[in-house]
Amino acid sequence: MSNFGYRALKLAPAAVLTAALLTALAGCDSNPPRPAVAAAPADPARAALAEAERAYGAQDDARALPLYLPLARAGNADAQFRVARIYTRNKGVAPNAVEACNWWETAANGGEPIAATNYGLCYESGKGRGQSYPAAAQWYRRAADGGNAYGMYNLGLAYEYGRGVTQSFDNAMLWLQRALDARIDSSDAADVMRHLKRARNNVEAARGDPQAQYDLAIDLFNGHSPEVKDERRAVAMMREAAKTATPPR
């Protein structure tokens, strides 16, 4: 038998085996499909908040409030803030100063600086809380320290008029300027600047600056906001300005 024939005989069993394996494998899926991954369950709290936000945006507070309340009680800061707003804006829910202040307090204690400003207003106005300038100033400071421009503004006013804190025009200047630097709303910036000017005039007048004394006297004589009309003090201030002014050469 030739070598060729011999080799053929030797290879025949292997070829048969290979064919048998290919036939067997043909009926098997070497890459079967993976089972479908179950979708993550929907977050009911998030869905409830979204529905509450839609109702709130549509000014339908009668619908929004019962959606927000469970979330607020569970510690959701956004819901707490909205509930407080709902109790002040009279859009389907009767205003309730006590409830509004309760929720401003909760949100403020959770670290919300705008809520701290609004809670301070509860004490300053006496609506929803007993009137207390010291408590108001305390919450304005928390709001200011948290970066809220209106907390800075209100704290500046507290120092300007000595409401709940020792009167200090220097501290008033500090916080009023910070309110401007924090980009308080343009609609209120002019008022902040008027109070800042008053505080600065009082500081400079006390240091003997004749121009500040004169400007302050004019504001006092005419009752220019935010000064209260006080003609007697205006005359005294004008005299001080005359004493310290440098006579023309």
Side-chain angles (χ1 to χ4, degrees):
M1 181 177 293
S2 68
N3 289 338
F4 177 80
Y6 178 74
R7 291 180 63 197
L9 288 173
K10 296 289 289 180
L11 290 173
V16 172
L17 179 59
T18 300
L21 286 171
L22 290 173
T23 301
L25 291 172
C28 300
D29 187 348
S30 60
N31 187 26
R34 296 178 181 178
V37 177
D43 182 348
R46 182 176 296 179
L49 182 60
E51 180 61 25
E53 288 287 284
R54 284 191 289 272
Y56 183 88
Q59 300 190 7
D60 184 3
D61 288 353
R63 173 165 173 73
L65 182 60
L67 293 168
Y68 279 130
L69 278 173
L71 302 172
R73 290 168 181 148
N76 184 289
D78 291 333
Q80 291 167 353
F81 196 91
R82 292 296 202 210
V83 169
R85 281 279 189 221
I86 284 172
Y87 281 120
T88 66
R89 69 180 197 160
N90 197 21
K91 300 292 183 181
V93 173
N96 187 321
V98 172
E99 280 299 311
C101 291
N102 288 343
W103 287 108
W104 289 135
E105 180 183 17
T106 300
N109 282 324
E112 171 50 64
I114 301 175
T117 296
N118 291 336
Y119 191 47
L121 287 169
C122 291
Y123 282 108
E124 181 169 346
S125 67
K127 295 178 180 178
R129 289 292 185 270
Q131 201 279 333
S132 170
Y133 285 131
Q138 173 189 344
W139 285 99
Y140 293 151
R141 182 174 293 280
R142 282 185 61 170
D145 289 342
N148 181 251
Y150 284 92
M152 299 171 191
Y153 180 21
N154 290 348
L155 184 58
L157 294 179
Y159 276 114
E160 182 183 0
Y161 293 106
R163 293 174 181 164
V165 292
T166 301
Q167 186 178 41
S168 168
F169 289 111
D170 287 297
N171 283 331
M173 286 175 58
L174 171 69
W175 287 108
L176 292 168
Q177 185 60 58
R178 287 186 179 180
L180 290 175
D181 294 342
R183 300 180 182 274
I184 200 165
D185 289 352
S186 58
S187 59
D188 295 303
D191 285 333
V192 178
M193 288 189 284
R194 277 195 292 271
H195 285 281
L196 180 58
K197 176 178 176 289
R198 176 182 189 259
R200 185 177 291 115
N201 278 341
N202 276 276
V203 168
E204 296 302 325
R207 292 173 180 168
D209 183 275
Q211 185 61 55
Q213 290 169 337
Y214 176 79
D215 290 344
L216 183 56
I218 294 298
D219 287 344
L220 286 165
F221 187 80
N222 293 296
H224 287 163
S225 177
E227 285 291 357
V228 177
K229 187 169 183 175
D230 187 340
E231 293 182 1
R232 181 175 296 181
R233 187 180 173 212
V235 170
M237 193 63 62
M238 194 68 76
R239 286 174 178 164
E240 287 299 315
K243 288 179 186 177
T244 55
T246 303
R249 292 182 179 180

